[in-house]
Amino acid sequence: MEKKKVFVVLCCIVLLLVICVSYAYWSLTFTQTGNNLVTTDCFEIEFIEGNAINLSKAYPVSDSDGMKNTPYTFTIKNVCDGGVSYQINLETLTPSGKKLSDQYLKIDLMEENVSKITSKLESSLNTEPTIEGALSAYQLLVGDLGPNETKEFSLRIWMHSDVTAMDKDSMNAVYHGKISVITSYNHIPTLSEMVRNGSLVTNGTGLYEIDHSNANITYTSDPIAINNLKQTEYRYAGSNPTNYVRFNNELWRIIGLVNTPEGQRVKLIRNESIGRYSWDTSDGRINSGNGINEWSQADALRLLNSGYDSLEWGGSLYYNRRSGRCYIGNQNYLSACNFSSNGLLDQSKGMVDAITWNTRANGTIEGVYIKMMDYYDLERSSNTGDICARGCDKSVARTTSWKGQVGLMYPSDYAYATSGGTTTNRTNCLNSTSWGFKSVSDCKNNDWLYYSGNQWMLMPFSSSFDNSEVSEIRQDGSVNSSHAYSDLWVRPVVYLKNEVQVTKGDGSNQNPYQLFYKVN
């Protein structure tokens, strides 16, 4: 896959921190006062004064003693909406008297209280000087700043312990230097760019390419929507791919760059469930209290999304980060629920796109013996979840789609998330009708969306004798169904706006992708 080229606009800003070191038979004075500030339209670097370094009658010391010196502290702040790279140099200038050789000095530079470099000033650190008239320059540190990010630094300098009385040129000499900071503006990729440009795999854990050019889209006749749903997707598969993101101040995971009628979006799912709740329930007058398998009126929809604040029970509680009572059983059974610590934050809501979700059922006959690879088309079909012939409630209007912000995973999301294994490979998993058998255990065991408990999905489940059945992933790994009133695990799913950027992270559990979105 062709990688997109990144264009870097260089904006060099040199900030000067005067370092004056005088030696008189191993007597050292190093004093810094005053702040240095350089500002452009959207970038600011500021040296903020800490305690001045003031050493007198110094002499060669060990590193442990050198690290006890009071550091000079400064900060670098990026106030741009884009990313910035920085390079911190120590540059040697011509002193007014006898020059002390750089080789006698040792420095330590700390970033956020973590030592990044402790080294003698030697040739391995040499770099091109940026200050006019500088005799030499040493690259101490390079790094990146995300949008609106600030980092603090501490600099220590001392004469290292290898200097002896035999080094006559170290006496009565002066070192004169400055710190320079060189910055450049970087393109920060959007999350969708990062996924699209990721390295692809054809087996094992990683990012897979999914061809939908032959998909059978029947729920709509809109040519734009159909074309969008036939694009090539990129989905993470395997037992534990590096698809973790920090979203809503908690761990979520990237399902992939997924097709929607509006175009491709990055689709996320919460790493953990928010609890066990009903997909839908009803009083005893409707479907015997079992609920209806129509997403547009489902209690889970109202729990997860905005606009249902006026409801007495469960309405928008997760979306609004509130507590109350939620439906968890037959005939509108209620139980206390609390989302005050794990509901959606306002910042997170701003990143979520309102997307058209396909809400079709698994088929026009009993929803069994369906190949896992066929679910993508079925989700985008004209099938309803109501093929019940007798004794079922027919009062609820059926829809083919729903536009909103928070939903649940599709069966196809679960299907494409497997990498398969040595006994049953990915292709055979996708051509299988059930992953509930031991003979195909490679399918669920190498699927990161598998959860050790029954979890809800968005798709209604067709049944000729019941219109309250909804698709679920069972604990054995199979796609099957439960009555809508059942209390199964709920894992919220969202599509992100295309402008959401990645500022740092590698996608691992320990270092998830960090997201940034500028609110206009």
Side-chain angles (χ1 to χ4, degrees):
M1 178 170 38
E2 183 180 355
K3 301 287 185 178
K4 288 192 175 180
K5 293 183 179 179
V6 178
F7 295 93
V8 179
V9 179
L10 295 179
C11 176
C12 292
I13 303 172
V14 179
L15 301 175
L16 307 181
L17 168 63
V18 178
I19 301 172
C20 295
V21 183
S22 299
Y23 287 89
Y25 198 73
W26 296 342
S27 177
L28 168 66
T29 300
F30 183 118
T31 303
Q32 168 67 30
T33 59
N35 296 342
N36 296 292
L37 175 64
V38 173
T39 303
T40 69
D41 287 343
C42 71
F43 189 80
E44 176 184 292
I45 291 181
E46 184 177 6
F47 287 105
I48 302 175
E49 183 170 12
N51 295 325
I53 297 175
N54 191 346
L55 306 176
S56 60
K57 297 183 179 179
Y59 49 86
V61 296
S62 66
D63 290 352
S64 59
D65 286 336
M67 290 296 293
K68 294 176 183 177
N69 292 343
T70 302
Y72 182 77
T73 60
F74 58 93
T75 65
I76 300 177
K77 181 180 180 181
N78 173 20
V79 298
C80 291
D81 294 329
V84 177
S85 294
Y86 60 83
Q87 176 179 319
I88 298 176
N89 294 345
L90 175 61
E91 306 202 19
T92 301
L93 306 181
T94 302
S96 56
K98 177 183 175 183
K99 178 183 178 298
L100 176 71
S101 175
D102 300 354
Q103 64 179 323
Y104 296 134
L105 295 177
K106 198 163 190 177
I107 55 90
D108 177 83
L109 183 65
M110 301 187 79
E111 175 191 296
E112 302 291 315
N113 295 318
V114 176
S115 183
K116 294 296 183 179
I117 180 173
T118 303
S119 175
K120 297 177 182 178
L121 297 184
E122 49 195 12
S123 60
S124 62
L125 301 178
N126 282 351
T127 189
E128 189 72 22
T130 61
I131 300 174
E132 185 177 357
L135 302 176
S136 59
Y138 302 91
Q139 179 180 300
L140 305 185
L141 185 65
V142 294
D144 297 297
L145 287 171
N148 303 311
E149 185 177 7
T150 298
K151 288 184 179 179
E152 294 184 354
F153 299 89
S154 301
L155 174 71
R156 293 176 173 87
I157 186 169
W158 63 92
M159 187 187 293
H160 59 74
S161 59
D162 291 343
V163 181
T164 70
M166 301 299 295
D167 298 307
K168 301 296 186 182
D169 58 341
S170 67
M171 302 174 188
N172 298 304
V174 174
Y175 176 81
H176 187 192
K178 294 180 180 179
I179 286 288
S180 63
V181 179
I182 302 94
T183 69
S184 60
Y185 295 111
N186 292 341
H187 169 74
I188 292 186
T190 64
L191 187 56
S192 59
E193 287 175 337
M194 189 210 69
V195 175
R196 182 180 287 109
N197 295 333
S199 298
L200 296 176
V201 300
T202 56
N203 59 73
T205 294
L207 186 65
Y208 283 78
E209 194 174 63
I210 312 294
D211 182 7
H212 289 301
S213 58
N214 295 320
N216 185 25
I217 312 299
T218 60
Y219 89 98
T220 180
S221 59
D222 182 353
I224 295 177
I226 292 174
N227 182 67
N228 286 339
L229 293 169
K230 288 191 173 187
Q231 296 183 83
T232 297
E233 291 187 329
Y234 304 93
R235 293 180 179 253
Y236 287 96
S239 59
N240 190 28
T242 52
N243 61 343
Y244 290 89
V245 298
R246 195 74 180 171
F247 175 75
N248 202 48
N249 202 29
E250 55 197 9
L251 276 182
W252 287 54
R253 302 189 75 170
I254 306 170
I255 291 175
L257 185 61
V258 176
N259 293 337
T260 78
E262 288 83 359
Q264 292 192 322
R265 299 290 189 277
V266 172
K267 191 175 188 179
L268 301 185
I269 186 169
R270 196 174 188 270
N271 189 49
E272 300 291 341
S273 165
I274 59 170
R276 298 175 65 103
Y277 303 101
S278 297
W279 199 90
D280 188 57
T281 185
S282 55
D283 62 39
R285 297 169 297 174
I286 301 174
N287 249 11
S288 301
N290 292 339
I292 303 290
N293 58 0
E294 165 56 37
W295 177 251
S296 66
Q297 66 97 64
D299 292 320
L301 177 154
R302 297 168 182 175
L303 169 68
L304 298 173
N305 288 274
S306 63
Y308 302 96
D309 310 62
S310 61
L311 296 181
E312 185 177 4
W313 310 118
S316 302
L317 291 183
Y318 173 76
Y319 188 87
N320 288 331
R321 207 173 172 90
R322 294 189 293 110
S323 62
R325 301 182 74 189
C326 298
Y327 295 107
I328 63 165
N330 180 269
Q331 298 194 43
N332 289 338
Y333 185 81
L334 290 161
S335 181
C337 53
N338 189 346
F339 304 101
S340 58
S341 63
N342 64 355
L344 285 181
L345 297 164
D346 289 342
Q347 182 184 32
S348 303
K349 296 173 189 176
M351 295 185 186
V352 176
D353 213 347
I355 290 296
T356 301
W357 301 63
N358 303 105
T359 58
R360 296 303 76 225
N362 56 295
T364 56
I365 60 173
E366 302 294 332
V368 294
Y369 307 122
I370 296 172
K371 290 183 179 180
M372 299 294 283
M373 66 182 297
D374 291 336
Y375 276 109
Y376 184 87
D377 286 3
L378 290 172
E379 293 155 4
R380 292 148 186 85
S381 70
S382 300
N383 305 326
T384 73
D386 183 12
I387 61 171
C388 186
R390 61 189 183 278
C392 301
D393 190 282
K394 299 287 187 177
S395 63
V396 174
R398 295 287 166 168
T399 60
T400 58
S401 61
W402 164 80
K403 190 163 187 175
Q405 290 185 293
V406 188
L408 303 170
M409 79 172 91
Y410 292 138
S412 64
D413 296 330
Y414 177 54
Y416 291 134
T418 186
S419 64
T422 55
T423 302
T424 308
N425 62 29
R426 176 180 168 84
T427 299
N428 289 336
C429 287
L430 292 175
N431 278 286
S432 173
T433 59
S434 177
W435 293 353
F437 302 109
K438 289 183 179 180
S439 60
V440 291
S441 60
D442 276 349
C443 300
K444 71 175 178 65
N445 291 341
N446 292 294
D447 189 313
W448 64 271
L449 277 173
Y450 172 73
Y451 203 69
S452 57
N454 296 16
Q455 54 181 326
W456 283 124
M457 293 190 287
L458 193 59
M459 175 182 272
F461 194 93
S462 298
S463 171
S464 60
F465 57 86
D466 194 343
N467 61 5
S468 71
E469 294 290 307
V470 178
S471 296
E472 61 164 321
I473 302 173
R474 290 194 171 176
Q475 191 164 359
D476 65 4
S478 65
V479 174
N480 214 301
S481 70
S482 282
H483 286 301
Y485 73 81
S486 304
D487 58 322
L488 308 186
W489 296 113
V490 172
R491 294 172 71 185
V493 173
V494 298
Y495 293 97
L496 296 185
K497 294 176 179 176
N498 281 332
E499 297 79 12
V500 173
Q501 296 175 305
V502 182
T503 59
K504 60 175 66 174
D506 60 15
S508 65
N509 182 292
Q510 297 77 23
N511 188 23
Y513 295 120
Q514 304 290 321
L515 304 181
F516 170 78
Y517 176 70
K518 179 184 178 182
V519 179
N520 294 321

